[in-house]
Amino acid sequence: MSTESVVTARQDQAGQDEAGPDVASSDGPAVDVTRLRVALARLARRLRKHELAGLTPTQLAALATVERSGPMRLGDLAAAEGIAPSTLTRLVTALEDSGYVRRYADPSDARASTLAITQRGHDMLERLRTESNLMLAASLRLLTPAQRAALAEALPVLEQLAEAPAGDRAQ
């Protein structure tokens, strides 16, 4: 099945035309891509409003990557996060200074370092996840049972969208 993008013009609340792409297919309803993007971005911002333990979002993402991947070389972390080596140096120093990671000499290459998360780093990430989950659970309680059911049904699709490489389309 192929998908096609259709750009529609709609009136915003100020009465100005605003173009928003819709994705329509022959066998399903159109999805307003602009509304979906804005809703997901707003939700992501709300989930990040909790205390970030003194870390930037980039530092937090890098720490979560080290936790998920296990001890890793600095170059591998830079590649995984898409950051420049100079940025990586500052990022790792901040994580080390906070006690969230520890840098070790790589036994297979004396010129390289390996980064591992500390117990303090695990604990901090778990606390942030718990805070986010509690905030989201409180928000979900404000929805009607029908709205929660619709969200539960959409969850596998949202997970698929989150995991799909950029530019991939369902065939």
Side-chain angles (χ1 to χ4, degrees):
M1 131 183 62
S2 68
T3 58
E4 62 181 355
S5 288
V6 179
V7 177
T8 61
R10 53 186 152 75
Q11 296 287 325
D12 68 10
Q13 291 178 343
Q16 300 170 350
D17 283 338
E18 180 183 296
D22 286 348
V23 176
S25 69
S26 59
D27 61 348
V31 175
D32 185 326
V33 176
T34 300
R35 285 182 60 201
L36 178 61
R37 178 185 50 76
V38 169
L40 292 174
R42 285 181 179 162
L43 180 58
R45 249 190 328 274
R46 283 189 57 214
L47 291 172
R48 286 192 308 263
K49 283 218 178 198
H50 55 68
E51 172 61 40
L52 291 178
L55 300 177
T56 67
T58 302
Q59 291 166 340
L60 191 59
L63 182 60
T65 297
V66 173
E67 181 187 49
R68 184 177 53 256
S69 299
M72 60 193 312
R73 293 176 70 157
L74 297 181
D76 294 336
L77 178 59
E81 293 298 313
I83 55 178
S86 61
T87 302
L88 179 71
T89 301
R90 289 188 304 275
L91 182 146
V92 169
T93 299
L95 293 175
E96 279 184 303
D97 290 349
S98 298
Y100 297 139
V101 297
R102 185 161 176 206
R103 195 183 322 211
Y104 298 93
D106 189 326
S108 64
D109 183 351
R111 300 166 296 168
S113 294
T114 299
L115 201 60
I117 191 167
T118 63
Q119 186 60 48
R120 178 178 163 96
H122 281 295
D123 293 345
M124 187 271 304
L125 286 174
E126 187 57 34
R127 181 178 58 82
L128 292 177
R129 288 179 185 122
T130 299
E131 288 175 14
S132 292
N133 286 345
L134 289 172
M135 187 280 304
L136 188 56
S139 294
L140 289 175
R141 284 192 287 277
L142 300 175
L143 300 178
T144 67
Q147 289 170 322
R148 285 193 302 272
L151 186 57
E153 189 173 319
L155 189 55
V157 176
L158 292 171
E159 290 170 333
Q160 182 180 350
L161 285 174
E163 298 301 320
D168 277 8
R169 294 185 293 169
Q171 297 297 321

